[in-house]
Every structure is written in structure tokens, then in C-alpha cells.
Amino acid sequence: MGVQSVESLSCWLQKATPSGSYLLLGLRSVQSLAQAYGGGVFRQALLSAIQERLRLCGVARSDMLVLDCAVLIGLSDSRLHSQFDKDLFLERCKAALCYEPVRCGTERILVNVVLAWVEASVDQPAYPPHLRSLASTIAFSELKSQDCEQTRQDMALATRFFAEMQDGKIALSFQPVVFVQDHDHVLYYEVLLRWDDAGTGFQSVSCAPVVQAIERLHVTERLDASVLWSVVQLLERYPDIHLACNISPLSLQLGPWWRLLIAVLGNAPQLASRLTLEITETACVFDHEAAAKLLCTLRGLGCKVAIDDIGAGFNTLELARQIRPHVIKIDKTLVHQARHRDGIAALNSWVQASCGISQYVIAEGIETEQDFRLSVDAGVHAVQGYFITSPCVQPPWEGAEPLSVRDSFNPTHTNFALNRYSLKDQE
């Protein structure tokens, strides 16, 4: 569809929606996927999959209008009144659409959709409250078209990864962030992923390459939501632990899954206070206003926010000044460069600037006694790295068993937290 503006989407909706309730689907990266897999064949496979999979959610397959990257579907039964109920319905639709790859000939293609509930009447033109977020998300996913071969390689890796995640083969590992004055005093455990893709064992296998592929494909929300819900489950099960998990900047866009999570955390302030969200540096925040608003909401619930890997990648002090995070983590490259005298000043400068913005400054990548001493001299509050403790798939607290990531897109069950969440609280 190309870059879709709020105005063009709004204009299209006003023409297409007489009265009633509608499901609006925004399709991410559809141009890149069409180029990589053949435009006409891919689009036909995608539309057929949408019709068939939404039928399983009780959505009629007849009233469907298509405009480039957006699909509008009439809802014959729209008895969902609360926002919570609507968001839960949208997440179930997204799970049905995205859980399994779309088959296009011999290819298996992960798709990502942005969903919105649209209400329209003769007197009230259709303009869903989340339309701007939906439009900017679609637009951003098409800004940088990558090489078709790269897309296919990323897709092969990502589809294999998510299939393994469905089978419970993506393990959670834990690495402590400890205070420099007392290594037994843990600020929190960062939750990392381990995938034994090569059969070499979980302990030594990082998921960084597949996470980068997932970001290039713009399907980060599935991974981030799955890890975050898994972490929330751990925090609920073990009321004395503090955990942090990584969130891609590409996922910082308020949508149904975030609103459901916010509803759950709002009913569990003690749980929220033990959760830290580490914003990674491997992609840029494409909507700073939306990201800041979302993070502000999460902080209001008691969650902590950390800016990860400052001094490298896309994260900057300007972003930190805007968000005012609880934690800033100094990238390991700055620590390692300080091993040479000409890198010490840079480490000191980043640490001092960060201390003026956040409550805690953490040095990552502490691999030697020298790394630790240089970081302490620079003024950090806490450290993390192999010199302290390696990541471990065995949770370090008593009575816990190794755990895998639970796929939040699994359409056969509702998320554990929502099963115990009272819908009456939303009325």
C-alpha cells in the first residue's frame, strides 16, 4: 500500500463504513514481503488466509474491503461493550491470523497485522481513537525496503524460531545485576533468551541474530509480548524476585496487547513494582510521542524503565532525558574501550551524564577485574557480566525449575493472567 497517512485512512473509512462495527487490519511490511515472494501470489495467499482464519474467530468472511495495506471487515455480532473485551477480541484475532505462517507456494511467511475496532454511524464518521498509531506503524514498516534475499533469509530464521517457541524450546535464562559495594545485593535479574538451534546447549547460545532478523521483519511484538507475559507469570509465582526483560523500540506502540497488560498490572501494583522494562538499542523509536506516553503509563503503574546499551546503537541520552528512566545501562563497548587509556574519558563522560538523568547507572559486559575497577572508578552503581555471573537457565531462586517462553500468539488459550483478571473491574 505504500506509506499510509492518517488522513487517507480516515477518508477511506468514512467512505467505506456506513453504520455498524468493523474490524480494521493494518498490514505491516506488505510491500517488502510482496517484493520478496511475488506480489500477486503473496497478496492472494494473504487475503485467503485472512478470510479463512478470521472465520474461526466468528468473523464473517463476506463483508471485506481492501485498500493496499488495510483491510476492513464488517462485524455482524458486535456485543462487546468494554474496551477490555474489545482488546481481548482483537488479540484473539491477531493470534488466529499470525500464529501460523501464511503458505505461499512452498514458502512459509510470517505476517504481522495491526488491529483496531471501528465504530461508525450516520451521525458519527468512523475515526477510531487508535487510527494515528495504526497508520504510523504501517508507514514505518515500509520506510526502508530491504534486499529480497535478506528478507527470505530472515523469514526462514524467524519461522524456525517461532516454531521452536511454540514447542517450548526457547529457554529463559537469568543474569543478575548486582551493586558494586555488595555483589550479593541484586538489583534485579535480567531475563535473556537461549535457543539451542545448533544442538550445542542453551548456556552458550545467544538469540541476538534471530532477534535482529525479527526486528528487520517488524514482528517484534510477538516475541516481546511472549517474553513479557512469561516474566509477569514468574513475578506472580515468586513474590520476592525482581526481573527485567528486553523490549524492542519497535514494540513501543500502544495496542491491544499493551492495554491488556496495563489492565493486569493496574490490578497488581506489587507485581508491577518488581518489573523493569529494558528498552533495547538495536532499532530506533519511530514514534517518540507514542513511546514516551506508553512508558509514562507503565511507570505510573509502578514499573521501572531502563535504557539499554547507552553509548551504542540507536539509544541516546536525548531519549533518556525524554523518558527519565529508572536505570541507564552503559554499553559494554564503552567498558571494553576503557581498557585502553584513551577510552577512559569516554566511559567517565557517559557515566557522569547518565547519573544526572537516572537513579541507577549500570555497566554491562563486565568480563575482567579491570572492567569492574574501571566501571567503579567511573561512578556506576551496579554491574553485570560474566565476571560477576554468567546467564543461567536454572533460575537462581529456591524451588524454581527451568522455564521456556510461552507463545502469546497461541490461539488455543487465553493468557494466564487474563484468566484470573476480573472483567467486572473494566465495567
Side-chain angles (χ1 to χ4, degrees), residues 241-396:
I241 62 172
H242 294 251
L243 298 176
C245 66
N246 293 319
I247 298 293
S248 169
L250 299 182
S251 297
L252 294 179
Q253 194 81 352
L254 186 63
W257 78 273
W258 275 117
R259 290 193 294 272
L260 292 172
L261 180 70
I262 287 168
V264 169
L265 293 176
N267 268 20
Q270 293 300 320
L271 187 155
S273 67
R274 294 181 288 116
L275 173 63
T276 298
L277 305 173
E278 293 195 1
I279 311 306
T280 63
E281 47 68 49
T282 50
C284 64
V285 176
F286 66 92
D287 188 333
H288 282 264
E289 181 179 352
K293 184 176 180 180
L294 173 59
L295 293 174
C296 182
T297 298
L298 291 164
R299 288 187 60 179
L301 297 174
C303 299
K304 312 296 193 303
V305 175
I307 299 295
D308 202 8
D309 297 318
I310 203 76
F314 289 92
N315 283 344
T316 64
L317 285 177
E318 185 57 39
L319 173 64
R321 291 188 182 97
Q322 183 180 8
I323 296 174
R324 308 297 296 186
H326 184 72
V327 170
I328 289 180
K329 302 183 78 175
I330 303 296
D331 187 70
K332 63 182 180 181
T333 57
L334 290 170
V335 175
H336 297 171
Q337 288 169 5
R339 296 169 181 172
H340 309 286
R341 183 170 296 276
D342 57 358
I344 295 177
L347 175 63
N348 292 344
S349 176
W350 279 98
V351 170
Q352 293 308 309
S354 299
C355 285
I357 298 172
S358 65
Q359 182 176 355
Y360 296 112
V361 177
I362 299 167
E364 297 182 292
I366 305 300
E367 298 175 358
T368 66
E369 173 68 33
Q370 182 188 22
D371 292 341
F372 174 73
R373 182 50 51 197
L374 288 168
S375 299
V376 171
D377 291 344
V380 303
H381 305 99
V383 289
Q384 178 182 7
Y386 284 88
F387 179 72
I388 308 301
T389 306
S390 301
C392 182
V393 296
Q394 174 62 49

Side-chain angles (χ1 to χ4, degrees), residues 13 90 97 99 106 125 135 147 191 197 228 234 243 249 251 262 284 292 308 365 370 378 389-390 411 415:
L13 285 174
L90 293 176
L97 289 167
Y99 182 65
T106 60
D147 177 77
V191 177
D197 186 36
L228 188 46
L234 275 173
L243 298 176
S251 297
I262 287 168
C284 64
D308 202 8
Q370 182 188 22
T389 306
S390 301
N415 192 280

Side-chain angles (χ1 to χ4, degrees), residues 110-256:
L110 293 168
V111 297
N112 193 11
V113 298
V114 193
L115 298 172
W117 180 283
V118 178
E119 299 279 4
S121 65
V122 175
D123 301 327
Q124 183 73 33
Y127 195 96
H130 311 299
L131 183 58
R132 181 170 298 280
S133 172
L134 182 145
S136 64
T137 303
I138 298 171
F140 182 80
S141 71
E142 299 289 2
L143 284 180
K144 185 178 180 181
S145 180
Q146 67 180 18
D147 177 77
C148 291
E149 181 58 30
Q150 181 69 66
T151 296
R152 289 189 287 267
Q153 290 177 5
D154 288 344
M155 189 64 70
L157 182 60
T159 52
R160 191 166 75 249
F161 176 84
F162 283 120
E164 295 277 87
M165 189 168 78
Q166 292 173 12
D167 293 337
K169 296 180 179 179
I170 307 301
L172 296 175
S173 66
F174 306 88
Q175 187 175 37
V177 172
V178 302
F179 286 96
V180 296
Q181 302 300 330
D182 181 3
H183 290 187
D184 291 328
H185 187 187
V186 176
L187 179 60
Y188 59 73
Y189 293 94
E190 181 180 357
V191 177
L192 303 166
L193 300 181
R194 290 295 181 264
W195 178 25
D196 191 13
D197 186 36
T200 57
F202 285 120
Q203 299 288 0
S204 60
V205 182
S206 169
C207 287
V210 71
V211 170
Q212 292 165 9
I214 287 170
E215 284 191 324
R216 287 192 291 267
L217 293 171
H218 293 275
V219 291
T220 61
E221 286 180 331
R222 178 177 187 172
L223 177 58
D224 287 348
S226 298
V227 174
L228 188 46
W229 279 118
S230 298
V231 167
V232 168
Q233 183 177 14
L234 275 173
L235 290 170
E236 183 188 56
R237 187 181 304 170
Y238 302 102
D240 296 325
I241 62 172
H242 294 251
L243 298 176
C245 66
N246 293 319
I247 298 293
S248 169
L250 299 182
S251 297
L252 294 179
Q253 194 81 352
L254 186 63

